[in-house]
Amino acid sequence: MIDIHSHILPSIDDGAQTLADAIDMAKAAVAGGITTIIATPHHRNGTFENDKRSIIEHVHALNETLQHHRIPLSVLPGQEVRIHGELLDYYRDGDILPLAETKYVLIELPNNHVPRYTEQLIFDMQLQGLIPIIAHPERNSELVEHPNKLYDLVKKGVLTQLTAASVAGKFGKNIKKFSLQMIEANLVHLIASDAHNTTTRAFHMREAYDVIQKQFGSQVVYVFQENAELLVAGETLYKDAPGRMKKKKFFGIF
Ligand SMILES: [Fe+2]
């Protein structure tokens, strides 16, 4: 299993605080069936900076440590980029690191709104050949209140990543319900952990896939897992999975 969103690199953001924490997270990931994980430290979210070059160095160091400890987990470089007006300037300066050095960029919206410039920024990213993936849209209050905004973004080619803990119910019933409705409405392309530690923000990938399996069947699980593989390979992701409903039903629910 591949996890495309994690904060496993030690001492550089609000994820693993020490190398020992990172090793514990790696062990937990392996125990949870994860074989490859993309490290996605926060980029310029107001507290943490983490440019491309330093992340690649940290990933290299962590892989060496994991090999030394014989922990069968491969770490790939990535970044969780908080959206802002100058994002593409940073990209041109070589500061932005797409997931696994492909064309897929994990972007993070503020928690409580979708900035006005989001659509334009996404369009400009696409012109540069990048494919934005919105991290955990189910935790953005504006998107929860106005899911048509998410539908419009997806229609324009944006991909989305649900957090496994949301699907597993760790952030409460409402977020779980909204997450499942998003899957049903065909607005989800990837499931990832966004793990920060092994306690309060752990992996929960298997639990999430169990919920999805029960609710939607194994074909939908397959599409999400295959999409993570395709992403790492830099290939085109599936945008549809049989058995799910379309927009009409989604708005019927809301
Ligand atoms: Fe994250």
Side-chain angles (χ1 to χ4, degrees):
M1 197 191 303
I2 297 177
D3 184 4
I4 65 138
H5 182 172
S6 75
H7 298 267
I8 192 171
L9 293 182
S11 318
I12 61 171
D13 68 0
D14 54 346
Q17 293 302 293
T18 64
L19 184 57
D21 289 346
I23 291 170
D24 285 348
M25 283 181 71
K27 287 178 180 167
V30 170
I34 295 165
T35 52
T36 299
I37 189 166
I38 306 183
T40 51
H42 292 288
H43 173 263
R44 295 189 186 270
N45 70 344
T47 312
F48 307 107
E49 305 224 332
N50 295 316
D51 63 25
K52 177 177 176 173
R53 201 174 51 120
S54 72
I55 293 169
I56 289 173
E57 284 169 10
H58 277 96
V59 165
H60 183 68
L62 183 57
N63 275 320
E64 283 196 339
T65 302
L66 296 182
Q67 277 167 17
H68 177 73
H69 287 266
R70 298 185 189 283
I71 299 169
L73 181 70
S74 170
V75 186
L76 300 174
Q79 201 177 40
E80 180 173 14
V81 183
R82 172 64 69 104
I83 70 162
H84 54 81
E86 293 81 44
L87 193 151
L88 279 171
D89 294 335
Y90 283 104
Y91 177 68
R92 288 184 204 105
D93 290 345
D95 205 30
I96 300 292
L97 174 54
L99 297 174
E101 300 183 83
T102 60
K103 58 197 168 183
Y104 295 100
V105 178
L106 187 65
I107 58 172
E108 182 188 35
L109 299 170
N111 290 334
N112 55 1
H113 71 288
V114 179
R116 277 166 179 261
Y117 59 79
T118 302
E119 231 181 273
Q120 183 64 45
L121 175 64
I122 280 166
F123 181 69
D124 291 341
M125 289 178 75
Q126 289 167 332
L127 282 183
Q128 296 282 327
L130 298 171
I131 301 174
I133 300 175
I134 298 180
H136 39 67
E138 78 281 10
R139 297 175 60 199
N140 177 285
S141 52
E142 186 171 341
L143 293 178
V144 173
E145 276 171 40
H146 305 285
N148 56 314
K149 291 188 177 174
L150 185 62
Y151 176 84
D152 289 342
L153 290 171
V154 170
K155 206 168 60 175
K156 291 187 168 125
V158 170
L159 302 176
T160 71
Q161 170 257 304
L162 277 183
T163 296
S166 300
V167 179
K170 305 292 175 189
F171 293 118
K173 278 185 190 166
N174 289 341
I175 287 183
K176 177 176 178 178
K177 186 177 168 196
F178 184 69
S179 300
L180 295 176
Q181 286 169 333
M182 278 181 59
I183 295 174
E184 190 174 21
N186 222 359
L187 293 175
V188 180
H189 308 93
L190 294 144
I191 308 292
S193 76
D194 192 14
H196 284 62
N197 53 49
T198 57
T199 52
T200 52
R201 302 281 301 276
F203 289 94
H204 303 298
M205 293 282 279
R206 271 205 181 125
E207 289 149 87
Y209 280 129
D210 283 350
V211 169
I212 294 166
Q213 161 93 37
K214 277 194 194 119
Q215 196 86 12
F216 303 103
S218 53
Q219 195 145 14
V220 176
V221 171
Y222 171 81
V223 166
F224 290 145
Q225 294 185 345
E226 183 69 10
N227 271 351
E229 304 254 356
L230 291 167
L231 184 152
V232 166
E235 292 176 15
T236 304
L237 273 54
Y238 291 110
K239 292 202 173 160
D240 200 359
R244 285 185 281 175
M245 296 172 195
K246 302 292 179 193
K247 183 187 175 192
K248 202 174 164 201
K249 173 73 175 167
F250 191 51
F251 291 113
I253 289 166
F254 283 90

